[in-house]
Amino acid sequence: LPHLVCYAAKANANLAVLDVFARLGSGFDIVSGGELARVVAAGGDPGKTVFSGVGKSAAEMRQALDAGILCFNVESAAELERLDAVARESGRVAPVSFRVNPDVDPKTHPYISTGLKENKFGIAYDDALPLYRQARGMRGIAVRGIDIHIGSQITDLAPYREAARKVLDLADRLAGEGLHLEHVDLGGGLGIRYRDETPLPVAGYAAMLRELFAGRREKLLIEPGRWLVAEAGVLLTRVEYLKPGPAKHFAIVDAAMNDLLRPALYDAWHGVDPVRPRSGPPARWEIVGPVCESADFLARGRDLDLAPGDLLAVRAAGAYAMAMSSNYNARPRAAEVMVDGERAHLVRRRETVADLYAAEATLPR
Ligand code: LLP
């Protein structure tokens, strides 16, 4: 099938990661001007980049028009109007796809479901056709495609098929009105195995796409993030203290929720393995960080034989880990190292405390 994989940069936007994808010929899915700047800095092709997100600013629109991106995935009538005006002002025409909300349940965590009608994302299914008709008459807009993204960490094919059928049906109805779309973008969302999930077999996903696109003219775009990078990364952390207690035993490590927010935010489960396992009897540990929040845990109830100084690998930290990190509690972020066979490359130096307040000022004296 004619297709373009647009890696969702939000999962991990380190320049070295973007560089690897760019060298492989990948496109990108971005959600901010910042991500666009990263893609460009890493040598990615704006002409293979789609811009998603519900709140694009006028400045971001101008930046993306100047860069010559492949498509804006427009999420509301108000955004369409702003984009038309910004494009006309800068003497350009904005390539547009509408992100349609197909109202299907992806059966994943509520915080990462996006394709239900109560979600803030996308254009209501029934509003899509009238909006396409309106867009055709706008001088600053060139209609190129249609787009969905129903959620993340999806392990079931059925909602994908249902959502794809719904947008392909819209594409057919548009074609019936003489509007032939160039591409259909099915978004990202392919789940991985953190614990005991059964991820979608990618061959089954591909077979479904072949079946859905058989005989169609539109190019297929997809926007996977997690599936491409999650399992390629670990977070390394060292045990600082062991603190056995009356109710629970705590292993206090030097990484925290500011480094890996997923357990605190989604109650997400990440595997934790000692880098050099010990052979003594295990105890049950809460793996927690130094941050002053009870939600500051990386893992709960893990049976491990631990000693202070042990190095632990927190698994599947390649996606939405560093990307969602913060400096809460004035904690400088960890270094990032990319391993390529026998070689290791420092791709982000460890932050210093001085980095954290370099942009701040005290009041005049
Ligand atoms: N396209 C759009 C429009 C998206 O909003 C997303 C993710 C993707 C593609 C990529 O989805 P993926 O293939 O990575 O599932 N922080 C959460 C995940 C949030 C996903 C947001 N959108 C987590 O750590 O689980």
Side-chain angles (χ1 to χ4, degrees):
L1 294 175
H3 69 277
L4 179 65
V5 175
C6 294
Y7 165 62
K10 67 164 75 67
N12 185 333
N14 181 286
L15 293 194
V17 173
L18 299 177
D19 176 28
V20 169
F21 281 111
R23 291 190 207 193
L24 292 168
S26 177
F28 298 92
D29 168 50
I30 56 161
V31 290
S32 69
E35 284 187 356
L36 175 56
R38 283 182 167 275
V39 165
V40 171
D45 182 355
K48 291 183 181 174
T49 298
V50 298
F51 192 169
S52 304
V54 293
K56 302 174 193 79
S57 70
E60 287 176 318
M61 289 172 173
R62 274 189 288 276
Q63 179 192 351
L65 285 167
D66 289 346
I69 64 163
L70 173 63
C71 198
F72 290 86
N73 291 340
V74 169
E75 304 217 17
S76 64
E79 182 191 336
L80 179 69
E81 267 165 43
R82 180 188 276 181
L83 183 57
D84 176 48
V86 169
R88 282 187 284 110
E89 258 166 44
S90 48
R92 300 185 194 276
V93 177
V96 159
S97 192
F98 288 115
R99 173 165 175 188
V100 175
N101 185 327
D103 192 25
V104 301
D105 184 355
K107 303 191 184 80
T108 181
H109 191 285
Y111 285 12
I112 52 178
S113 291
T114 50
L116 284 165
K117 60 173 179 283
E118 61 258 39
N119 296 131
K120 70 176 175 180
F121 297 99
I123 289 157
Y125 192 77
D126 295 333
D127 297 343
L129 284 180
L131 207 59
Y132 272 101
R133 291 180 194 125
Q134 189 187 333
R136 282 182 96 174
M138 294 175 135
R139 278 192 300 118
I141 300 294
V143 174
R144 292 275 192 265
I146 193 159
D147 166 48
I148 51 173
H149 172 77
I150 57 173
S152 200
Q153 184 58 15
I154 300 171
T155 52
D156 186 358
L157 263 187
Y160 269 120
R161 184 177 286 113
E162 188 189 341
R165 286 225 173 97
K166 281 185 149 177
V167 281
L168 291 175
D169 185 53
L170 277 182
D172 291 340
R173 285 200 260 164
L174 288 168
E177 299 183 12
L179 182 57
H180 296 278
L181 300 179
E182 290 172 17
H183 70 248
V184 174
D185 180 342
L186 296 185
L190 292 175
I192 63 147
R193 173 171 302 168
Y194 285 101
R195 185 178 194 177
D196 50 11
E197 304 91 331
T198 312
L200 283 179
V202 92
Y205 177 69
M208 179 198 76
L209 296 176
R210 278 192 185 285
E211 183 195 312
L212 287 165
F213 279 75
R216 298 197 68 96
R217 303 195 309 191
E218 302 93 341
K219 185 173 187 168
L220 166 68
L221 268 55
I222 54 172
E223 305 168 352
R226 187 191 322 265
W227 194 86
L228 291 170
V229 293
E231 288 168 289
V234 295
L235 168 64
L236 288 180
T237 184
R238 206 175 280 286
V239 178
E240 294 276 12
Y241 302 104
L242 293 181
K243 187 176 172 183
K248 292 198 160 162
H249 301 326
F250 295 96
I252 301 165
V253 300
D254 65 359
M257 66 189 290
N258 72 296
D259 300 297
L260 179 67
L261 184 61
R262 302 192 70 258
L265 189 57
Y266 316 114
D267 211 8
W269 193 99
H270 284 257
V272 176
D273 294 308
V275 172
R276 288 183 191 81
R278 298 170 182 280
S279 52
R284 182 155 295 180
W285 296 104
E286 309 294 297
I287 318 273
V288 303
V291 164
C292 302
E293 299 274 351
S294 292
D296 180 29
F297 62 91
L298 299 181
R300 298 204 271 201
R302 301 301 167 87
D303 295 331
L304 296 166
D305 176 19
L306 296 179
D310 282 1
L311 199 57
L312 306 178
V314 183
R315 301 268 179 187
Y320 304 113
M322 189 61 150
M324 296 173 76
S325 66
S326 76
N327 293 119
Y328 187 39
N329 281 198
R331 289 172 49 82
R333 271 172 286 216
E336 288 181 292
V337 177
M338 187 182 275
V339 179
D340 179 15
E342 299 283 293
R343 297 173 66 190
H345 307 274
L346 182 66
V347 296
R348 190 178 203 268
R349 68 162 170 81
R350 195 177 294 282
E351 261 171 4
T352 65
V353 172
D355 289 335
L356 304 193
Y357 50 77
E360 296 173 31
T362 53
L363 296 179
R365 308 237 166 227

